[in-house]
Amino acid sequence: MNPHSGEEGLFGDEEASYIIPAIRKAGRSLKCISGPIPPDVVFYNALNKKFDAVISMYHDQGLIPFKMLYFKSGVNLTLGLPFIRTSPDHGTASDIAGKGIADPTSMIEAIRLACRLALKKMTCSPRAN
């Protein structure tokens, strides 16, 4: 939330007051969660496959580095719902709808991810979901 995860309180106490307790609470039901990690570090590590996912505090904070790499194939996954919800990361592209020029790659990837998650959900224990 703050630069460099608050620099141990030098740039605010939101990490200690809100984010770390939320991460600990989430850790009770998730297998592996860590943080807070500064964005310049977490996205580098995610790119190098040290994380399966990155949860960002703000929409743009997470999407800028993501779209730099995966603009045409990126997928939005909504967590915390009782059902699987994926969508193309670039949005609806309503400005080009019906013109026959849209790139379907992100939509195809969103469907593929939803299918993989559905199959995994059918074979995993409740804790793993």
Side-chain angles (χ1 to χ4, degrees):
M1 179 171 254
N2 292 309
H4 301 281
S5 296
E7 292 285 357
E8 299 181 17
L10 291 174
F11 296 127
D13 66 352
E14 290 85 359
E15 280 75 15
S17 298
Y18 303 104
I19 299 168
I20 292 171
I23 291 168
R24 287 184 181 143
K25 183 176 180 181
R28 292 194 292 261
S29 61
L30 297 173
K31 288 182 178 180
C32 183
I33 188 168
S34 61
I37 303 169
D40 56 344
V41 174
V42 76
F43 291 113
Y44 174 80
N45 286 334
L47 181 62
N48 288 291
K49 303 188 185 313
K50 293 183 180 177
F51 300 110
D52 293 325
V54 173
I55 299 171
S56 298
M57 297 299 298
Y58 301 103
H59 178 83
D60 288 346
Q61 182 186 49
L63 286 182
I64 292 169
F66 182 75
K67 284 186 175 186
M68 289 291 295
L69 296 169
Y70 305 107
F71 188 82
K72 290 185 177 184
S73 63
V75 175
N76 181 315
L77 171 64
T78 303
L79 303 175
L81 299 174
F83 52 87
I84 295 169
R85 187 234 174 234
T86 63
S87 68
D89 188 58
H90 55 64
T92 61
S94 59
D95 58 324
I96 59 171
K99 295 180 180 177
I101 59 173
D103 182 340
T105 306
S106 186
M107 183 65 175
I108 293 166
E109 292 302 319
I111 293 167
R112 286 181 175 158
L113 177 59
C115 290
R116 285 194 310 271
L117 293 171
L119 287 172
K120 187 171 186 168
K121 189 170 186 164
M122 291 188 307
T123 60
C124 290
S125 67
R127 181 169 163 77
N129 295 331

